[in-house]
Amino acid sequence: MSPVRNLMATISNPLSLKHGLSLWCPHLSSPNRRFNSPSIGYRSLHRNYVAASSAGFSNDNREFVIVGGGNAAGYAARTFVEHGMADGRLCIVTKEPHAPYERPALTKAYLFPLDKKPARLPGFHTCVGSGGERQTPDWYKEKGIEMLYEDPVASIDIEKQTLATNSGKQLKYGTLIIATGCTASRFPEKIGGNLPGVHYIRDVGDANSLISSLEKAKKVVVVGGGYIGMEVAAAAVGWKVDTTIIFPEKHLLQRLFTPSLAHRYEELYKENGVNFVKSASIKNLEVGSDGRVAAVKLEDGSTIEADTVVIGIGAKPAVGPFESVGLNSTVGGIQVDGQFRTNVPGIFAIGDVAAFPLKIYNRTARVEHVDHARRSAQHCVKALLTAQTSNYDYLPYFYSRVFEYEGSPRKIWWQFFGDNVGETVEVGNFDPKIATFWIDSGKLKGVLLESGSPEEFQLLPKLARSQPSIDKSKLEKAASVEEALEIAQASM
C-alpha cells in the first residue's frame, strides 16, 4: 500500500465520524483515575499563588489564560464574561490574527463566488453560530479581555505555571485552559504536499488562499470523501469549474453514510457536475512547468489534471507543547475528566483537543465538531467558576450544509444524532427527504435526517438520547419519513 493510501485509509476509519479521528473508542484506561478538585477554594489557591509569585513575572501574571483562538476559546470567553470573571482576569493567546470565529463557515459559505454572497468576517465571529452576540475584537476590549494575537505558545513550565510564546513573552497563569483544536493532516512534501496550488483548510488564511486559486482555476481535485471533501466540492461547483473528488473508500463519508445513502448523495453531486474517483490510491502530485501543481497521479498509473488541489483527509489534535499534561494514546489529544480537568492541577482542555468521557456510551472520545467546542467550553468554565459538579454529558451530533449558494437547484442540509451502530433502516427517497435509523439490540441508537423541518430536526436528539426500544419491521413498513418519525416518537 502506498504511503498516501495508507495515510488516507488510516484517517478514514469507518468507525469514526469526524475527520477520521475516532469517536468510537474503548473505556477510560483507568476507572480509578484521580483529578484535581474543581472547587472555588482550589481556584483561589492558584490566584494567591500567582499574586505571591516572583517579581520577575510581576507584569505577566494572569489569573486565567486560554491558549487557542477557535470556537472553544470564544465560547469560553463568553462564559467568563457571563460570570463576571473576565475583566482584567482573562488572557487569550492565539496564533491567528483574528478574534475567535465560527470555523465551519470556512468550507461552506466562505468559499462561495463573490456574486453568490460569500461569508466574510466580522460576520461570523463567535458566538453568532448559536444565536449569541458577535464577539468582534472590540468586544474583547470592551470586556477587558487581553488578546495576544499571532503569538502561539512555544513551551510550558508546569512546575512554575509559566508559558513562553514564540515572541519570547512569559506568562504566569493561575488557571490554564488548552483550546488548541486540530491541525490539518498533510501530504508529505516529497510527493508534492506543499506545491503551490495545493491547499488545506483550517483557518481564514487557508480559505483566502484557496479562493485565490479558485478565481483562476479550471480543474479542481478534492482529495478526501468526508465532510471537508463534500463541502469544498459543493462550493467549487458554484465557481463553474471542473471538479473531481478522489478518495480510497468505496463511497462518500463511509464513516457515517450507509452505501445506499451515499449513493443518493453521489448522484446529486454528479448532477451538479462533480466527478468521482473511488477506491483510489494516490502516488504523488505532479508539478507543472510553472512550478504549480498540474496533476494527481494515481498508483494505477493514471493521472487527473488539476491546477488546484484541496486536501481534506482529516486532522490531528494540536497538542503542541502540552504533551506533558497527559495524552490519551487511543484517541489522541489531552486526557480530561467529565469537567475537563487534566491530570495537572489548574490545567483544563476543551474542544477538539480534549479526550473526554463520553458518558452516554461509557467510553472515551475526542470529537471534532463545533457543537462540542461550544458545549465543552461552557461546561468547563462553569465548573471552574461555580459550584457545578455535574459531569459533561454529551450527545454526539454532526451536520453538513452544501449547495446553499444562490442559483443552486437544491440546497442540502442533514443532521445526525447518536451512535451509528447496529442495523440500519432507510426511509424516504431523498427527494424531498430521507432518514436513516440505526438500531442495535432492539434499541434506536442513532438517526440521520436530510431536508427535515425544524420540528423534525428537534426530535432527533430526543430520540438518540432516550434510545427507545423500537419495532424494526414496523419502521421498515413506514410509507414516508414523517410516518417513520411518528413511529420512533411513539416508541419513547
Side-chain angles (χ1 to χ4, degrees), residues 276-401:
F276 286 92
V277 180
K278 298 186 282 188
S279 302
S281 175
I282 295 175
K283 184 175 183 180
N284 64 274
L285 306 180
E286 297 189 337
V287 61
S289 57
D290 59 356
R292 291 177 56 86
V293 67
V296 177
K297 186 171 184 178
L298 305 182
E299 283 289 353
D300 64 9
S302 62
T303 59
I304 301 170
E305 291 184 3
D307 49 46
T308 300
V309 175
V310 185
I311 310 295
I313 57 172
K316 299 176 292 185
V319 296
F322 302 111
E323 291 187 9
S324 58
V325 173
L327 305 183
N328 182 290
S329 60
T330 303
V331 301
I334 298 170
Q335 182 67 59
V336 298
D337 70 354
Q339 295 184 35
F340 297 97
R341 298 169 294 189
T342 70
N343 265 334
V344 181
I347 299 182
F348 299 73
I350 58 176
D352 295 3
V353 77
F356 66 96
L358 189 60
K359 184 177 178 180
I360 189 172
Y361 302 128
N362 193 31
R363 58 176 175 255
T364 300
R366 196 177 58 75
V367 178
E368 296 174 26
H369 194 268
V370 62
D371 181 63
H372 166 63
R374 296 166 179 165
R375 294 177 185 271
S376 63
Q378 293 166 333
H379 191 98
C380 172
V381 176
K382 287 178 182 177
L384 172 64
L385 299 179
T386 73
Q388 171 183 287
T389 58
S390 62
N391 287 325
Y392 188 57
D393 189 8
Y394 186 68
L395 176 67
Y397 161 55
F398 298 92
Y399 77 94
S400 188
R401 306 170 72 116

Side-chain angles (χ1 to χ4, degrees), residues 50 60-68 73 76-77 80 85-86 88-94 145-148 151 153 155-156 161-165 169-180 322 346-350 380-381 384:
V50 173
D60 296 299
N61 295 340
R62 307 295 187 279
E63 185 170 352
F64 305 109
V65 174
I66 299 173
V67 178
F80 273 107
M85 296 296 287
R89 294 182 168 100
L90 176 61
C91 173
I92 298 178
V93 187
T94 173
I145 299 171
E146 181 184 16
M147 296 291 296
L148 300 182
D151 197 11
V153 170
S155 63
I156 180 174
Q161 292 178 232
T162 305
L163 302 171
T165 69
K169 190 172 186 62
Q170 300 287 316
L171 297 173
K172 189 85 168 180
Y173 63 84
T175 297
L176 173 65
I177 299 177
I178 303 168
T180 46
F322 302 111
I347 299 182
F348 299 73
I350 58 176
C380 172
V381 176
L384 172 64

Side-chain angles (χ1 to χ4, degrees), residues 13 50 191 221 243 338 350 376 401 476:
N13 181 343
V50 173
I191 65 164
V221 168
T243 305
I350 58 176
S376 63
R401 306 170 72 116
E476 290 173 329

Side-chain angles (χ1 to χ4, degrees), residues 174-193:
T175 297
L176 173 65
I177 299 177
I178 303 168
T180 46
C182 287
T183 59
S185 296
R186 304 176 68 92
F187 272 13
E189 183 175 4
K190 65 182 180 181
I191 65 164

